[in-house]
Amino acid sequence: MSIIFDHVNYIYDEDTAMAHAALIDVNLKIPDGKFIGLIGHTGSGKSTLIQHMNGLIKPSGGTVYFNNEDINAPTYNKKNLRARVGLVFQYPEHQLFETDCFKDVCFGPKNLGLPQKDVELRAYEALKQVGLEDDFFYQSPFDLSGGQKRRVAIAGVLAMKPEVMILDEPTAGLDPKGREDILNLISDLHKKTGITIILVSHSMEDVADYVERIIVMNKGRVAFDAEPKEVFRHVTELEEMGLAAPQVTYCMKELWEAGFDVDTDATTLEEAKNEILKALGRC
Amino acid sequence: MLRDITLGQYYRTESVIHSLDPRVKIVATFSFIISLFLVKNFIGYIIAGLFLVFCIRLSKVPPKFIFRGMKTIFFILIITMLFNLFLTPGIPLVTFWKFQITKEGLKLAIMMGIRLVFLITGSSIMTLTTTPNNLTDGLEDLLKPLKKLRVPVHEISMMMSIALRFIPILMEETDKIMKAQMARGADFESGSLMTRAKSLIPLLVPLFVSAFRRANDLAMAMEARCYRGGEGRTKMKPLVYKRRDAIAYLVIVLYLAAIVVLGRIFFT
Ligand SMILES: Nc1ncnc2c1ncn2[C@@H]1O[C@H](COP(=O)(O)OP(=O)(O)OP(=O)(O)O)[C@@H](O)[C@H]1O
Ligand SMILES: [Mg+2]
């Protein structure tokens, strides 16, 4: 069970003067149950890439496989695919439309053709999972704050019980607290349900603490695809791509240069703390 | 899907037609449309067709791109042609059941079809080669004389330019919303007419919400910059006729003359 990209290319507005290659020879294998970060500068093709995963965009060249089946084969059931590969878009405003949050979350499971009871049960579960307070269940989604809207949008996809969940910049436009809340929520989801999560972001800081693997996109190509530690070793290359390693990495590097015996591979605050304590001989 | 609608879109490239003054292009398009209604025989259509091909070649817009926009009006085209084909009285050619196709009907249907295709291609060339801003600037200038009759020319053209400016934005937005709902299993393409109409709700609500928000933002931004209508307003880039525009006008006049003269000669 996995998503595989085999030499995928994508060109926007093909055969016009505005033709623009958004993906160039992308090869990826995303196995089950992983928590993956997809990172890249603005316009690097992240959103384009993830829309290939549930068949919203058809590659201009190459093939995308889900569980060893070509998802763009004419007989392939795309609706079923979209239930199994859930995609939460960057702006919740693009999907919220019902009169209250509960009904809105019902939309996904209802489209799967489930009986009304199951639909409501799933919606309730999903809203609970994303930690929306009960008071908001029957309020208009348009009256919610940005963070709450995002939770409802995530619940809307979660209610379809996907095996893979892709989130496009779920933290955009949130304050630090809201950001952390959403990221913790996603991380908890991953731990509890074991579903594959692909988190799109352009901030290393966001991703470093949580993910097991990082895919870095640069100008439509996959630049790095490795564990966070491995990726953060390429600080200069990352900076050339308009990205940066987490603050912790820079900090550890400076400590090391100043003569402290710390491991510069530490990427999370926790690891860094332990390393520093160790170096100071207080462990 | 939605990107197939090229009507009213701008195609960015560099060509003689792109660099013409918008007033020339508006006048040319109107002349062309009028000429289509003047011609009554196939010679006229051949001239109009050649003129069109000439303009398309000059504009460097790929013909594929122009005709992709035609798909959306294909339905209207077929209906118009069918009506003409069956409902024109005259000498019957084929009769079956209650319907009969007449010689006049056939001729009219073909002419009507050509006329519609030409009309839309002609106006597409104008919109494809002129930015919305330029187009409304040109229109405002051409309609200036109406100001004397107290027609709010500036306001009308401002409204038009805002509308045109928002078409691509809203199209893009529609595309995104459709994708977001399709990711939740929405289906816009199958089912009966009723279910299909219902399936538009998840698309229309977010679209309207966003359109109103944008309208509100724009109004606020205009107010913040003290917009107060057309009075005493100057232009950053005033329209000035160049040599090529004079040549273009000449070409239009020649074209109209050819249509009238050749049409007469062959007709009599
Ligand atoms: N609908 C579209 N039509 C034409 N070009 C597009 C379209 N969407 C994206 N592009 C182009 O494709 C490239 C990749 O865009 P994409 O949205 O995938 O980037 P991204 O990595 O998600 O960026 P961001 O961080 O800003 O969301 C960009 O250069 C963009 O201009
Ligand atoms: Mg994006």
Side-chain angles (χ1 to χ4, degrees), chain A residues 41-48 50-51 90-91 168-169 200 202:
Chain A
H41 190 53
T42 287
S44 58
K46 306 179 296 284
S47 301
T48 311
I50 56 172
Q51 286 173 48
Q90 194 161 350
Y91 300 102
D168 198 351
E169 308 215 10
V200 178
H202 49 231

Side-chain angles (χ1 to χ4, degrees), chain A residues 234-245 250:
Chain A
H234 303 271
V235 178
T236 29
E237 282 109 312
L238 288 176
E239 279 171 359
E240 274 163 22
M241 294 172 198
L243 298 167
Y250 291 106

Side-chain angles (χ1 to χ4, degrees), chain A residues 31-96:
Chain A
D32 262 2
K34 288 266 187 208
F35 192 163
I36 295 172
L38 180 61
I39 301 197
H41 190 53
T42 287
S44 58
K46 306 179 296 284
S47 301
T48 311
L49 179 72
I50 56 172
Q51 286 173 48
H52 279 82
M53 294 181 183
N54 68 350
L56 282 174
I57 297 183
K58 213 169 152 175
S60 309
T63 326
V64 182
Y65 298 96
F66 180 62
N67 297 344
N68 300 325
E69 280 182 272
D70 177 358
I71 65 166
N72 290 299
T75 51
Y76 195 82
N77 184 346
K78 284 232 170 121
K79 210 161 168 180
N80 182 273
L81 171 74
R82 286 178 194 147
R84 297 171 70 181
V85 181
L87 175 53
V88 185
F89 276 83
Q90 194 161 350
Y91 300 102
E93 289 80 4
H94 284 156
Q95 67 172 68
L96 302 176

